[in-house]
Amino acid sequence: MCVYLSADGAAGPGASLRSTDTAYDYGGLCCSTKKEPEHINKKPVTVKDMHCLHPGDLYPYSRKPLFLIVDSDNSSTFQHMPNLFGFPLVVLMSSVQVPLNFQEQRHRGNLFTLFLYSPLTAFCYICDVVESHLERWQQAEALIQKMFVDISQLIARSKNIDSSYRQFYGDDFLRLIILRFIFCSNVLRLHKNFKGCHPASQPPLPRNDFLDNSTLHKHVYDLATLLNVRARFHDASMLD
C-alpha cells in the first residue's frame, strides 16, 4: 500500500511534556482548518485532536506492506513509525524547513512533491532556470536517467540498505519514487541554499552508498554545468 500525505503540520504537546508517546503526542498533519466550539476546546489533554492525522492513526495500515510519503513542515513526526507487524515499511519525509525565499511559494505546492513528480522541473526551479531549449532539456533528462541507472545498481549492490527498499523496488511506480527521492536528496544536499534543509527517510538510506557517493555527486554537477548553474552548488568536500 502506498499512502501520500501533503498538509500543514499540526503541533502536539509532546515536546513540552517530554512525552515518549510518538504515536500521538507530537502532533501530525492538519486535516481541517475548521475551529471547534470553545466548550469543545476545553477538553482534557488525554483527548487527541480530531482534526489532526497522527502517526498512530496509520499503525493499522502497517499490517500490510506500507510505503508512506509525507510532505509537510511536521513530517519528522512520522520518522518513528514502528514496524509492528514485520512487513516492509518505508517512510519518505520532506524537509521540515525550506529556505526563506521558497517559503512564500508553498501555497503553490511543495518542493518535495515537485521533485517526486518532475525531478528536472524541480531542479530548474531551485536554480532559477526559467527557460531552456528543447535540445538542452532532453540532454538534461538523459543525464538524470544515467543517474537513475547508477542508483539502481547501488541499490542492487548495497549490503547496508534495508530490505524494505528492495521489496518495494519491484513495483514500477515505487521504484520511480525511490529513484527520484535519492536524486532529490543529493541535489538538496549539494545546493548552497539548502543547508540543513534535506529530506529524510525511515529506515535511513546508507549515507556512504547514496548520499556521500562521488558518482552520484558527479551526475548532479554535470546537470548543473549543462544548465549553467554550477556556481549554485557546493563542492562535495565542503559538505558536513
Side-chain angles (χ1 to χ4, degrees):
M1 177 185 297
C2 177
V3 177
Y4 166 78
L5 302 172
S6 180
D8 291 333
S16 60
L17 298 176
R18 297 185 180 180
S19 172
T20 58
D21 181 9
T22 58
Y24 291 98
D25 282 353
Y26 287 84
L29 305 186
C30 182
C31 298
S32 174
T33 57
K34 180 181 178 181
K35 293 184 178 181
E36 298 178 355
E38 186 175 348
H39 69 279
I40 297 180
N41 286 333
K42 297 179 180 179
K43 56 195 174 192
V45 293
T46 55
V47 177
K48 307 307 178 185
D49 186 353
M50 63 181 294
H51 297 306
C52 177
L53 180 67
H54 299 85
D57 297 327
L58 299 178
Y59 286 4
Y61 294 98
S62 64
R63 178 63 180 80
K64 300 290 185 180
L66 177 62
F67 193 97
L68 179 61
I69 304 168
V70 185
D71 191 351
S72 172
D73 54 1
N74 195 30
S75 60
S76 59
T77 304
F78 292 81
Q79 69 181 338
H80 300 296
M81 286 275 294
N83 194 335
L84 298 173
F85 302 100
F87 289 98
L89 173 64
V90 168
V91 185
L92 304 184
M93 296 160 284
S94 68
S95 171
V96 297
Q97 296 179 332
V98 293
L100 289 175
N101 54 318
F102 291 99
Q103 288 180 5
E104 57 190 33
Q105 302 293 329
R106 274 192 161 179
H107 66 281
R108 300 180 184 176
N110 286 350
L111 184 61
F112 184 62
T113 293
L114 184 59
F115 265 104
L116 298 184
Y117 175 73
S118 179
L120 181 52
T121 301
F123 185 95
C124 291
Y125 176 68
I126 65 171
C127 295
D128 293 325
V129 178
V130 296
E131 62 180 6
S132 175
H133 296 298
L134 177 60
E135 182 179 358
R136 181 172 294 180
W137 185 270
Q138 292 173 337
Q139 291 172 343
E141 289 279 17
L143 285 176
I144 292 177
Q145 291 304 315
K146 287 181 181 178
M147 182 172 179
F148 286 174
V149 170
D150 283 341
I151 294 173
S152 296
Q153 293 175 350
L154 289 171
I155 290 175
R157 293 195 297 247
S158 177
K159 297 180 181 179
N160 301 313
I161 192 171
D162 190 274
S163 61
S164 291
Y165 288 99
R166 287 201 178 102
Q167 294 182 63
F168 285 121
Y169 203 70
D171 180 273
D172 290 342
F173 176 73
L174 297 183
R175 179 189 309 124
L176 194 58
I177 293 296
I178 292 171
L179 292 172
R180 290 174 174 177
F181 175 80
I182 296 174
F183 172 80
C184 172
S185 298
N186 278 273
V187 168
L188 296 187
R189 278 177 54 78
L190 293 173
H191 199 287
K192 291 180 179 179
N193 290 346
F194 284 83
K195 184 176 182 180
C197 301
H198 312 141
S201 62
Q202 184 60 36
L205 287 165
R207 180 163 176 165
N208 289 339
D209 291 345
F210 297 99
L211 301 179
D212 292 338
N213 187 292
S214 59
T215 300
L216 300 187
H217 290 174
K218 184 179 184 303
H219 285 301
V220 175
Y221 294 143
D222 288 346
L223 180 59
T225 300
L226 176 67
L227 297 174
N228 297 319
V229 291
R230 177 63 179 83
R232 293 179 179 267
F233 292 86
H234 289 296
D235 291 328
S237 59
M238 299 177 62
L239 298 177
D240 294 332

